[in-house]
Amino acid sequence: MIDPEPHATKIAGEIKDFDPTKYIERKEVRRTDRFTQFAMAAADLAVSHSGIDFSKTDRERIGVIVSSGIGGMTTFENQFENFLKSGPRRVSPFFIPMLIPDISAGRISIRHDLKGINHCTVTACASASHAIGESFNAIRENRAVAMLTGGSEAPITRMGVAGFNAAKAISTRNDEPEKASRPFDANRDGFVMSEGGAVLLLEELEHAKARNAQIYAEICGAGFTGDAYHITAPSEDGNGAARAMKIAIQQAGLTVEDIDYVNAHGTSTPPNDRIETLAIKTVFGEHAYNLHVSSTKSMIGHMLGASGAAEAIATVLCIKNHMIHPTINYETPDPDCDLNYVPNKAIEKTVRAAISNSFGFGGHNASLVFKSFTE
């Protein structure tokens, strides 16, 4: 997508076969940023897979909360280049509506004629988990009967790569791209930035049962906290992350011993993995060593504002399929990361309940708890 030559990092998780015209009219493709195209495609797939018929439901009771950490970065760069070359008259009238992070939620609501809650959470790499948690709370509080929720991101741009390189957040293991994302490994050197979208349909239980929906799992808790510590680094004692997990477990009405699996934020950055491990041990005590912990990012990279949604889906599928995916590229143990990270191979395991963590620049922490559904 971009010339990697000027950048220290020359690798990324691109989606090379994505054809937006399968989901959006060709004219509208030109008027949407790539992150919105991902979101609209993911929402279409979620609606189709769920089998829900919106015409049989009060559309004012169905909402959309779809996040993005950054929004239309490609659009901004291209339009600013037009501005510099040719002046303000060459800036597209669609520049602003293509750029703003909330436009995905707006377009999804228009496409499916959904007139309930509609907004966007922007909390960096915790954005999608906040979106899902807020959607969960909307249904619990009877403000909606169903919510399309998740996130999307398209950050592989000139400035996107340059910015994360400057922050020393992304891997420079250019000669071994397949091994670059290595959460919890002693030789980790940053995350692999990737792109994509992920959307779930959350639904009030009786509403789902009334239409004989296939229920994959139950979301039962959400915890949100702030570190109040640093703009990019997590608090050294993991306090913010630990409190988010505790709140989510408490809201779910579970004990720490009820949790079998943690889908870690697991970025592959040296401080995050160490501090998330510390936070897990703070919350779970000795039970931390009974947990299975794995990082989805080890295999698909870090989709920033979309990652929480992709990881929520992965967590739900672990529960549904009795199978926990691994943390790949785990080769050299780090003494500060001493939990069971499901190294390199998936395992069969009954997961009664699981927690999915997301943490973002600015000290934003979001944890979601899911459990197996039983009548």
Side-chain angles (χ1 to χ4, degrees):
M1 291 178 59
I2 63 171
D3 177 7
E5 186 55 35
H7 300 282
T9 292
K10 304 180 191 305
I11 56 175
E14 293 181 9
I15 300 176
K16 293 187 174 181
D17 57 353
F18 177 65
D19 180 2
T21 61
K22 290 183 178 178
Y23 308 95
I24 308 168
E25 290 183 10
R26 191 170 297 277
K27 181 177 70 175
E28 291 303 307
V29 168
R30 294 195 297 272
R31 297 175 177 177
T32 50
D33 189 273
R34 187 171 171 86
F35 90 96
T36 298
Q37 296 166 6
F38 287 149
M40 295 181 72
D44 275 13
L45 292 171
V47 171
S48 174
H49 188 74
S50 72
I52 193 167
D53 182 349
F54 292 133
S55 70
K56 296 180 179 177
T57 303
D58 181 356
R59 293 176 186 272
E60 295 184 7
R61 299 268 293 152
I62 304 176
V64 182
I65 304 178
V66 173
S67 71
S68 177
I70 299 176
M73 185 171 273
T74 299
T75 295
F76 184 86
E77 291 180 20
N78 291 342
Q79 291 298 312
F80 190 56
E81 200 165 272
N82 288 347
F83 175 88
L84 292 177
K85 286 180 179 176
S86 307
R89 291 187 177 182
R90 297 299 299 172
V91 173
S92 167
F94 298 102
F95 169 51
I96 297 299
M98 289 173 69
L99 168 72
I100 51 180
D102 61 293
I103 199 64
S104 294
R107 280 191 170 270
I108 290 167
S109 73
I110 294 167
R111 181 180 186 83
H112 296 283
D113 193 24
L114 304 178
K115 298 177 178 176
I117 297 164
N118 188 278
H119 64 86
C120 166
T121 54
V122 181
T123 52
C125 302
S127 296
S129 289
H130 275 113
I132 295 168
E134 294 291 3
S135 296
F136 163 60
N137 285 330
I139 294 172
R140 286 180 68 242
E141 294 162 5
N142 196 30
R143 292 182 283 126
V145 295
M147 297 289 298
L148 280 174
T149 183
S152 67
E153 205 78 87
I156 306 171
T157 72
R158 293 167 292 178
M159 288 301 292
V161 175
F164 280 105
N165 264 149
K168 300 187 184 306
I170 52 178
S171 174
T172 55
R173 195 183 290 261
N174 300 314
D175 55 341
E176 290 185 304
E178 73 281 5
K179 293 186 175 181
S181 185
R182 43 197 315 113
F184 305 106
D185 184 271
N187 297 315
R188 63 193 183 275
D189 71 334
F191 63 81
V192 172
M193 190 161 60
S194 61
E195 60 177 356
V199 172
L200 304 83
L201 178 73
L202 301 189
E203 198 168 359
E204 191 272 331
L205 178 59
E206 295 306 320
H207 191 271
K209 289 166 66 174
R211 66 177 187 85
N212 295 316
Q214 182 180 7
I215 299 173
Y216 279 67
E218 180 181 353
I219 181 171
C220 50
F224 307 145
T225 66
D227 280 351
Y229 174 73
H230 191 273
I231 56 170
T232 57
S235 60
E236 275 297 317
D237 61 1
N239 177 274
R243 285 185 292 111
M245 284 186 270
K246 285 180 180 178
I247 292 168
I249 294 168
Q250 184 178 35
Q251 186 181 48
L254 301 176
T255 68
V256 294
E257 287 79 15
D258 294 322
I259 305 293
D260 295 315
Y261 168 62
V262 176
N263 188 298
H265 187 54
T267 53
S268 189
T269 56
N272 176 84
D273 295 356
R274 172 176 55 82
I275 293 171
E276 184 172 14
T277 297
L278 177 60
I280 291 169
K281 289 192 284 190
T282 298
V283 174
F284 290 92
E286 284 300 313
H287 184 60
Y289 294 95
N290 301 324
L291 293 168
H292 291 82
V293 181
S294 67
S295 169
T296 309
K297 294 182 181 75
S298 67
M299 292 177 283
I300 65 171
H302 192 350
M303 297 156 62
L304 307 183
S307 61
E311 290 158 10
I313 292 170
T315 303
V316 166
L317 290 177
C318 286
I319 294 171
K320 177 179 180 295
N321 297 330
H322 310 294
M323 180 71 72
I324 298 177
H325 67 68
T327 303
I328 67 167
N329 295 322
Y330 185 84
E331 297 173 339
T332 307
D334 177 344
D336 289 329
C337 301
D338 58 350
L339 301 178
N340 177 2
Y341 302 107
V342 194
N344 302 312
K345 288 186 178 180
I347 62 165
E348 290 187 26
K349 167 77 178 176
T350 297
V351 178
R352 299 165 299 162
I355 193 163
S356 181
N357 288 333
S358 295
F359 313 126
F361 282 178
H364 309 297
N365 308 300
S367 295
L368 304 172
V369 172
F370 299 90
K371 65 181 183 180
S372 60
F373 173 70
T374 54
E375 289 285 355

